[in-house]
Amino acid sequence: MIRNMKFPWFNKKGVKNSIIRDKDNNVIVVANKDIESYLGVFSPATITNNVVTLFNEISEVAFPVMAIANRITNGRFQLKDSKTDAVIYNNESINKFLSRPNPLQTFNEFIQQIEIYKLVTGQSFVYSNTGDFIDPKMRWKMTDEYVVLPSQDVQIIYNQRVKLLSAQNVTDIIEKFRFSGGNSQVDISPSNILYLKDTSIGRGCDHIGGMSRLERLKYPLSNLISVYEARNAIYVKRGAIGAIVSNVKDDAGAVPLTDGEKEQILKDYQSTYGLSTEKYPTMISTLPIGFVRFNLSIQELQPFDETLLDAITIAGAYNVPAVLIPRKDQSTFSNQDTAEKSLYENVVIPEANNLCSALNTFLGLENDGMYLSVSFDHIPVLQPNAKEEADVKKIISETCKSNFLAGIITLNEWIARIGSDKVNNSMYNKRIFEMSDEELNKIERFIK
């Protein structure tokens, strides 16, 4: 006789098999259904099928992404001269870009969307409506509109023969980007797409495209959603919390309550006892009864500990310090400023600088002696202590003085390193061994 066992077993390929035994109790494994259909929405195998939905609906996912993206938009983006680092205020094309790159978005919204798509999906695609025959080096002069494409609607079409070892430009690897939006499908030349991505590894072309960091969080995300479902069931689908049972026993075992006894208990419970002012909080019964509890309380299940642990794990994938995660004991942390500063210095500023570098190349600004820069000097948590700043400047100045007297740097290089504007005087561009006696006399008075 063959009997079907009650428990599942999973093979190495993630397929759920049934264990059945023959009449001699020998195990027979029969493939049944895959693990994804068995666990459903809770399965780590399917939990990251739609990372955009995870971001839109799970606050623990949205938090680290928005923590980074919002802080990047706190930066001051400016166009500067490559030679002098002076701010350029009168470039109408770039001023328009820094104000409203497309009819629907401000520049801050544009930058935020670039970063959100990159952090959530691992890929971000910025489209410029420049024609295919326009020199990309002149893009900033010829383009009126820049749009962030929904990453989930963009497909990378690789060349049939990808020249990884001899590629000179992106078109040697990527033939086109295919955007499917609404009821239309458009193929876009790689020259008109700024493609930003998170690092990924794999065989073939897998390492070329970006991979979402959420893909590495399948199990924490699966746990998190399972806990939310369980908590919701406890709050909404309440059911009976337990049962009132008879404590009367005879030789055969427990004696159940009669219908009349049940009716009397319910009547007393509903009419006489309760938590309102006209009822008694403690129930007194003349019947020998006891209470058997069915479920566990929220405190006993400890779902809040699990969700916090999952939130910390998710934030960690984005290098966001755990102490910045909103929680009920937030007031106990005294290192908030340190964590905030760390987030800016180790995540936000490098990410913003990388974005500026990519935009400079895409727009073609470097070819015209310009570049976009971003500054966070105005952020309060990044402001140095006045005394510390003075001490640092003193140390830098003393070092520069020694280097100048040793003939290593010029006066203008000294001035630049302490953060002042250079002097338009030929003497200030000379090293000390290149100066005349007259200039050395001036320098001696200056040094003293």
Side-chain angles (χ1 to χ4, degrees):
M1 178 179 179
I2 295 177
R3 55 192 177 89
N4 197 345
M5 304 299 288
K6 296 293 186 181
F7 52 89
W9 176 81
F10 299 97
N11 67 18
K12 293 181 180 179
K13 294 183 179 180
V15 175
K16 191 188 94 169
N17 299 314
S18 293
I19 295 179
I20 57 179
R21 299 177 185 272
D22 60 17
K23 62 182 180 180
D24 298 321
N25 206 35
N26 295 316
V27 174
I28 302 174
V29 178
V30 180
N32 189 357
K33 58 176 75 173
D34 58 37
I35 187 173
E36 299 172 13
S37 60
Y38 175 69
L39 294 176
V41 295
F42 303 120
S43 169
T46 60
I47 209 74
T48 54
N49 279 356
N50 191 338
V51 293
V52 174
T53 298
L54 286 173
F55 169 77
N56 285 334
E57 297 186 3
I58 306 296
S59 60
E60 285 83 355
V61 173
F63 166 72
V65 173
M66 296 306 298
I68 297 171
N70 286 342
R71 285 167 176 79
I72 288 176
T73 59
N74 286 340
R76 290 175 177 167
F77 290 81
Q78 294 178 312
L79 181 66
K80 291 186 176 182
D81 186 284
S82 299
K83 293 182 179 179
T84 64
D85 292 328
V87 179
I88 300 174
Y89 296 101
N90 58 353
N91 188 310
E92 293 184 7
S93 295
I94 298 301
N95 286 347
K96 179 181 180 298
F97 174 70
L98 293 177
S99 174
R100 190 167 287 274
N102 62 68
L104 296 177
Q105 290 180 311
T106 64
F107 181 74
N108 278 356
E109 293 168 339
F110 173 76
I111 292 296
Q112 187 182 64
Q113 195 168 34
I114 291 175
E115 285 300 321
I116 289 175
Y117 269 120
K118 180 185 174 185
L119 294 171
V120 173
T121 68
Q123 303 182 114
S124 190
F125 303 89
V126 180
Y127 167 71
S128 71
N129 64 354
T130 313
D132 293 341
F133 302 103
I134 298 296
D135 186 352
K137 295 180 180 180
M138 302 176 64
R139 189 186 312 276
W140 69 271
K141 299 178 183 178
M142 311 300 296
T143 305
D144 296 324
E145 185 179 30
Y146 301 86
V147 178
V148 183
L149 301 179
S151 297
Q152 68 271 26
D153 295 332
V154 179
Q155 179 186 4
I156 302 175
I157 308 296
Y158 296 101
N159 287 325
Q160 291 185 351
R161 298 183 63 184
V162 176
K163 304 175 182 178
L164 282 178
L165 302 181
S166 60
Q168 299 295 314
N169 52 61
V170 68
T171 54
D172 292 330
I173 300 173
I174 298 175
E175 178 185 345
K176 56 193 173 185
F177 294 96
R178 179 163 292 163
F179 173 60
S180 302
N183 297 322
S184 62
Q185 180 176 288
V186 180
D187 289 341
I188 305 173
S189 168
S191 64
N192 286 335
I193 292 286
L194 171 59
Y195 178 38
L196 303 170
K197 63 186 184 69
D198 258 351
T199 302
S200 62
I201 60 175
R203 293 181 177 179
C205 294
D206 289 345
H207 73 287
I208 299 175
M211 185 182 82
S212 171
R213 301 185 201 189
L214 298 176
E215 292 284 352
R216 305 182 182 99
L217 298 166
K218 291 177 181 290
Y219 288 93
L221 287 168
S222 179
N223 291 344
L224 182 65
I225 293 176
S226 299
V227 170
Y228 273 125
E229 289 282 346
R231 280 165 58 180
N232 180 263
I234 291 172
Y235 285 122
V236 178
K237 303 174 183 178
R238 295 182 179 178
I241 63 173
I244 296 174
V245 297
S246 173
N247 279 342
V248 177
K249 296 181 180 180
D250 58 17
D251 294 339
V255 177
L257 294 169
T258 65
D259 291 342
E261 289 172 335
K262 292 178 185 177
E263 186 177 345
Q264 184 60 44
I265 291 172
L266 286 173
K267 181 179 178 180
D268 291 343
Y269 181 76
Q270 293 175 352
S271 62
T272 308
Y273 304 102
L275 296 179
S276 58
T277 54
E278 68 277 5
K279 293 184 179 183
Y280 298 101
T282 304
M283 182 175 177
I284 301 173
S285 176
T286 58
L287 297 172
I289 57 175
F291 179 75
V292 178
R293 185 172 164 186
F294 289 162
N295 63 351
L296 294 176
S297 67
I298 286 286
Q299 290 79 8
E300 289 169 321
L301 290 171
Q302 296 183 321
F304 302 106
D305 292 342
E306 174 63 32
T307 52
L308 178 58
L309 180 61
D310 294 331
I312 291 173
T313 304
I314 295 168
Y318 291 95
N319 298 314
V320 174
V323 297
L324 295 180
I325 297 174
R327 63 184 83 174
K328 64 180 182 180
D329 59 345
Q330 196 69 53
S331 60
T332 64
F333 293 104
S334 58
N335 54 350
Q336 290 284 305
D337 285 349
T338 302
E340 184 75 16
K341 185 177 180 182
S342 173
L343 179 57
Y344 268 103
E345 293 179 342
N346 298 322
V347 181
V348 174
I349 294 176
E351 183 69 20
N353 286 334
N354 288 338
L355 177 58
C356 280
S357 179
L359 285 172
N360 288 330
T361 302
F362 183 63
L363 296 174
L365 293 173
E366 297 166 337
N367 302 289
D368 289 292
M370 300 179 293
Y371 69 97
L372 281 176
S373 74
V374 58
S375 170
F376 295 89
D377 294 341
H378 60 290
I379 303 299
V381 75
L382 298 177
Q383 296 299 316
N385 179 279
K387 183 178 184 303
E388 291 178 358
E389 185 177 16
D391 290 341
V392 170
K393 283 189 175 181
K394 182 178 180 181
I395 293 172
I396 293 174
S397 187
E398 289 295 330
T399 302
C400 288
K401 178 180 177 180
S402 299
N403 289 338
F404 171 72
L405 294 175
I408 298 174
I409 63 174
T410 65
L411 286 173
N412 265 335
E413 289 172 330
W414 180 350
I415 291 171
R417 291 182 189 181
I418 61 175
S420 299
D421 296 330
K422 74 174 187 177
V423 177
N424 292 321
N425 186 315
S426 59
M427 180 184 75
Y428 282 75
N429 292 321
K430 296 179 182 179
R431 290 179 172 81
I432 194 167
F433 299 123
E434 300 170 339
M435 294 181 178
S436 64
D437 291 340
E438 182 181 356
E439 290 172 334
L440 288 173
N441 289 333
K442 293 180 180 179
I443 291 300
E444 185 179 2
R445 291 196 300 271
F446 167 76
I447 294 296
K448 288 182 180 179

